Amino acid sequence: MKTSIIKTHFSDNKYRFTLTSLSGSTILNSIAYTDEDAMKKAIAQLYGMQVGRGNFERKTNHDGQFLFHLKDANGQLLGYSLPYGSEAGMENGIKNLTNSLNALKEAYNQ
């Protein structure tokens, strides 16, 4: 089964990861981690995460664009989306992220 791709980055003394679709579109940007192990633990959470409505915090930025935050089971912020021009676009982004995380979970558990 094809899944999304997780890429890791290091810049400004911070570690980050990005979840991208196979077509290269960014689905989720992580928060900045000061420690590589903390980033790796967050990535590991994605592989086993039971995703539900409570994992998402929907927001509107100062420009009126819609975005969401992904939180773990303890309410800790893991990452955030890029801004969307419409609420429907944001909801579609949440759906795509949920499907991607479920595919990662299935691939990891095989």
Side-chain angles (χ1 to χ4, degrees), residues 6 42-49 101 104-109:
I6 296 177
I43 292 171
Q45 281 186 338
L46 294 179
Y47 285 100
M49 193 170 190
L101 291 175
L104 281 173
K105 184 177 177 180
E106 286 178 27
Y108 180 73
N109 290 323

Side-chain angles (χ1 to χ4, degrees), residues 43-88:
I43 292 171
Q45 281 186 338
L46 294 179
Y47 285 100
M49 193 170 190
Q50 187 73 6
V51 183
R53 187 163 178 81
N55 294 103
F56 297 99
E57 183 179 357
R58 291 154 173 85
K59 296 189 161 279
T60 306
N61 70 13
H62 62 279
D63 291 328
Q65 296 175 311
F66 299 88
L67 61 143
F68 61 86
H69 290 175
L70 176 67
K71 296 184 175 189
D72 68 12
N74 297 321
Q76 295 291 99
L77 180 62
L78 294 174
Y80 52 90
S81 71
L82 296 175
Y84 294 90
S86 70
E87 189 172 5

Side-chain angles (χ1 to χ4, degrees), residues 12-103:
D12 299 327
N13 294 321
K14 303 285 186 203
Y15 295 89
R16 293 178 176 84
F17 65 85
T18 304
L19 181 65
T20 60
S21 68
L22 290 175
S23 66
S25 300
T26 299
I27 301 172
L28 184 76
N29 290 310
S30 77
I31 61 170
Y33 296 92
T34 57
D35 170 289
E36 186 176 15
D37 288 335
M39 179 192 68
K40 287 179 179 180
K41 286 178 185 176
I43 292 171
Q45 281 186 338
L46 294 179
Y47 285 100
M49 193 170 190
Q50 187 73 6
V51 183
R53 187 163 178 81
N55 294 103
F56 297 99
E57 183 179 357
R58 291 154 173 85
K59 296 189 161 279
T60 306
N61 70 13
H62 62 279
D63 291 328
Q65 296 175 311
F66 299 88
L67 61 143
F68 61 86
H69 290 175
L70 176 67
K71 296 184 175 189
D72 68 12
N74 297 321
Q76 295 291 99
L77 180 62
L78 294 174
Y80 52 90
S81 71
L82 296 175
Y84 294 90
S86 70
E87 189 172 5
M90 175 190 65
E91 293 298 332
N92 190 49
I94 290 172
K95 180 181 174 184
N96 289 338
L97 177 59
T98 300
N99 291 339
S100 293
L101 291 175
N102 287 335

